[in-house]
Amino acid sequence: MTETIKQAEEDREARERDCPACGQRVPVDRRFVVWCDACEWNVDPGGEQETDPDGGRVERLRRAVAQRHGERLFADLALQPTSASPPGTGVSGVVAVALAVAVHGLTVVLAALGLWLLIGRWGEGFQPAIGALLLGLAVLLRPRFGSFTKLRQDAPVLERADAPHLFALLDEVAAAVGTKGVEAVVLGPEANAGVRTYGIRRHRVLRLGLSLWSILDRQERIALLGHEFGHYAHGDTRHGLLVGSALRSLSTWRYVLAPNGGDSLMDLFANLLTALPRWTVHGVTLLLDQATLRASQRAEYLADASAARAAGTDGAAGLMDRLLVMDSAEAALQRETVAARTRIGGPRRREDREERADGLWERVAAQVASAPQREYERLRRVSELRGHSVDDTHPPTHLRRRHVARGDHHTPGIVLDASREAAVDGELRQPAQAMARQIVRDGLGA
């Protein structure tokens, strides 16, 4: 009898424990952080030591600035839901255009000066060599519009003939928010999604991360699509040709000018030589961020409102909750990949990996779905403490959720029923399975 009571006590302790700060009993789930909802003990165990996903002082500064802008704009939108001015107007819009022109203009100057030194000064000492160097630098730093042709070679691409039900859904959501659909859908493993244009002809393409798509319910999927198309419906400055390509060029410049990690004399000399242009590029990046941030974050909030109109308020709010667990989805995919690639070798190794690839996305979704509502509540509180956002330009996720919830309660404009969802999933099944096999075979970094 005594052993039975002792075992019962041990089982209870495995499910609950006393909060060391206030003494309240708190649930214990070894898969998730143990925390107290009364005094918020251990609600954010990472705290300030949490590693920034992008890394670097510039990214941390951009994230902090984005959080401040997001909070200020959240308050402004409560008073004026559509905000004061459309993107690209006012002093900030003029500054953004001027900076973008300057970024592209520098590339033109480098190319012109390089050609002049290479051709006009041929045979005059080192001048042609310097010209060739400048010309090569201009080619490296040229605006990148992306290659639609190359895109087809690098990832699974679906076009209208491949997935008519999916594209019909995309067209319907795009029309509901006031824009056009896409020409292709690119599948990726990540817990993210986005619409982007490629090439001079501006081919519009949806990048659909299967780790995110797999964890969403029907209306959350509509909300995701409504949000991404909403960026184009509301004229997001960063999605424009001029400013968007300038931001991508600056990102390339920062990569080229990044300091070497070595400790040799040559590395130190190279870092010293590139210090001034490197910090100049950082400064221009921050200036362009500042000039476009309000318009861009306004577009994020308005894209969320588009998501609510298309999917309903509940669907849009559910999407915001899922964004909080994006890291969990990617971690689940990583665990699945490691488990598949560390299986003991032998005659069945290939068969084992094939079996592991079957149902990969369903297992990722199941692992995320197993998170209790208590974990979502903890993540919402962490979001408020730390200012969680999708990246270093988005408003804080908890403010985006509040903005969706505080407006008019929308019923779904588009309802994704079970039969239509099954048809869309059927079109995605084969390329998703091919990607699962590739991930299990080669790993996520391949």
Side-chain angles (χ1 to χ4, degrees):
M1 186 68 175
T2 304
E3 291 181 358
T4 303
I5 296 174
K6 183 179 179 181
Q7 183 62 46
E9 285 292 326
E10 290 177 353
D11 291 342
R12 191 169 70 87
E13 284 297 322
R15 295 191 302 269
E16 291 183 341
R17 60 169 291 184
D18 291 333
C19 170
C22 69
Q24 175 168 303
R25 298 293 287 178
V26 296
V28 174
D29 187 332
R30 297 187 184 280
R31 301 171 301 164
F32 303 101
V33 173
V34 179
W35 66 288
C36 178
D37 53 352
C39 67
E40 296 197 339
W41 165 79
N42 207 41
V43 67
D44 185 16
E48 295 299 322
Q49 296 179 353
E50 181 75 13
T51 303
D52 190 294
D54 294 325
R57 285 176 291 179
V58 173
E59 284 74 16
R60 287 194 293 272
L61 179 59
R62 293 174 74 186
R63 188 178 291 274
V65 171
Q67 182 177 348
R68 288 197 298 272
H69 273 274
E71 292 169 349
R72 191 178 305 122
L73 189 56
F74 174 79
D76 292 344
L77 287 171
L79 303 175
Q80 192 173 5
T82 58
S83 192
S85 58
T89 61
V91 176
S92 294
V94 173
V95 171
V97 170
L99 286 171
V101 169
V103 168
H104 296 316
L106 178 59
T107 305
V108 173
V109 169
L110 287 174
L113 181 59
L115 283 172
W116 178 72
L117 289 174
L118 182 63
I119 299 173
R121 297 295 181 177
W122 186 262
E124 299 184 19
F126 290 102
Q127 294 184 74
I130 296 174
L133 179 63
L134 293 178
L135 188 59
L137 188 61
V139 171
L140 180 65
L141 301 181
R142 72 189 185 280
R144 307 297 175 103
F145 303 108
S147 171
F148 189 55
T149 302
K150 186 175 183 298
L151 187 66
R152 299 171 185 268
Q153 303 169 358
D154 294 342
V157 176
L158 297 175
E159 298 184 81
R160 290 185 177 273
D162 304 315
H165 292 95
L166 172 62
F167 277 85
L169 178 63
L170 298 178
D171 290 341
E172 184 177 354
V173 175
V177 302
T179 187
K180 65 177 184 178
V182 296
E183 297 178 46
V185 175
V186 179
L187 300 182
E190 67 277 1
N192 208 340
V195 177
R196 192 188 149 179
T197 52
Y198 287 82
I200 299 297
R201 297 178 61 185
R202 315 302 290 157
H203 296 283
R204 191 176 288 187
V205 176
L206 169 67
R207 173 89 179 186
L208 190 61
L210 293 173
S211 291
L212 178 59
W213 185 256
S214 67
I215 69 174
L216 303 180
D217 68 21
R218 297 171 194 162
Q219 291 310 117
E220 289 166 359
R221 290 178 173 183
I222 298 295
L224 175 68
L225 299 176
H227 174 89
E228 297 304 335
F229 283 121
H231 280 291
Y232 288 89
H234 297 295
D236 188 347
T237 307
R238 291 174 186 255
H239 283 70
L241 177 62
L242 181 64
V243 175
S245 59
L247 284 166
R248 288 191 290 273
S249 291
L250 286 170
S251 179
T252 302
W253 293 10
R254 289 168 56 207
Y255 175 78
V256 171
L257 295 170
N260 295 322
D263 296 326
S264 69
L265 187 60
M266 184 62 70
D267 288 330
L268 294 175
F269 177 73
N271 291 342
L272 181 62
L273 191 65
T274 59
L276 181 59
R278 179 168 61 251
W279 286 106
T280 300
V281 169
H282 287 334
V284 173
T285 301
L286 290 174
L287 283 175
L288 191 53
D289 269 342
Q290 285 286 326
T292 60
L293 200 53
R294 181 178 175 85
S296 181
Q297 293 202 342
R298 172 185 177 275
E300 289 291 342
Y301 282 122
L302 296 182
D304 290 336
S306 293
R309 288 193 297 273
T313 298
D314 294 340
L319 173 63
M320 298 302 143
D321 287 336
R322 295 296 184 267
L323 295 179
L324 294 175
V325 295
M326 286 196 312
D327 290 344
S328 297
E330 292 185 341
L333 179 59
Q334 184 67 48
R335 286 194 298 270
E336 287 286 336
T337 305
V338 171
R341 290 175 59 79
T342 54
R343 296 281 292 271
I344 298 174
R348 288 186 50 80
R349 184 174 180 83
R350 180 175 179 179
E351 290 80 358
D352 287 344
R353 288 185 175 178
E354 290 289 333
E355 291 175 5
R356 198 75 187 181
D358 291 338
L360 173 66
W361 307 111
E362 290 79 3
R363 290 197 300 276
V364 169
Q367 289 185 48
V368 174
S370 69
Q373 285 302 312
R374 179 178 173 79
E375 177 65 8
Y376 280 96
E377 175 59 27
R378 185 187 73 82
L379 290 170
R380 279 192 285 269
R381 297 193 190 191
V382 172
S383 173
E384 296 188 28
L385 291 172
R386 197 188 294 169
H388 170 278
S389 59
V390 174
D391 61 24
D392 55 15
T393 62
H394 279 63
T397 305
H398 71 282
L399 294 183
R400 293 174 58 191
R401 192 184 193 284
R402 287 183 186 175
H403 179 65
V404 166
R406 73 181 173 184
D408 296 334
H409 190 278
H410 296 283
T411 57
I414 299 172
V415 176
L416 183 60
D417 58 31
S419 61
R420 195 174 186 186
E421 181 188 41
V424 170
D425 286 346
E427 293 171 344
L428 292 174
R429 186 170 296 115
Q430 184 175 350
Q433 182 66 11
M435 174 164 287
R437 287 194 296 267
Q438 179 183 344
I439 291 172
V440 168
R441 182 184 68 246
D442 303 326
L444 280 172

